Amino acid sequence: MAKKDILLAIEKKREELIRIVRVSGLNSPPAIKHSQELDHLLNVYNEFPAQTTETTSSCS
């Protein structure tokens, strides 16, 4: 998955989470599930610079 695709997925998941929280509440099971999925996407996104650095370092 490309970094750009992850950013789009993050924005979509964030919008879904906001909608669910408005309807179901912050501590509802669907809100918690979407929050965890958003956390996962953010973690994947944050790993990208480390992967790029490792790739460039190993080529030296």
Side-chain angles (χ1 to χ4, degrees):
M1 185 179 262
K3 196 170 187 177
K4 179 178 151 184
D5 295 332
I6 294 173
L7 281 173
L8 291 173
I10 288 170
E11 284 304 314
K12 182 178 177 184
K13 188 59 68 177
R14 186 176 288 147
E15 290 170 6
E16 291 173 7
L17 177 58
I18 291 168
R19 181 184 55 78
I20 288 170
V21 167
R22 285 184 183 151
V23 172
S24 304
L26 186 60
N27 293 320
S28 67
I32 292 170
K33 178 180 178 254
H34 275 71
S35 177
Q36 291 171 339
E37 291 170 356
L38 177 59
D39 286 346
H40 173 74
L41 289 169
L42 290 168
N43 288 335
V44 169
Y45 178 80
N46 285 329
E47 289 175 7
F48 259 89
Q51 290 174 351
T52 305
T53 304
E54 290 172 12
T55 304
T56 358
S57 300
S58 62
C59 292
S60 300

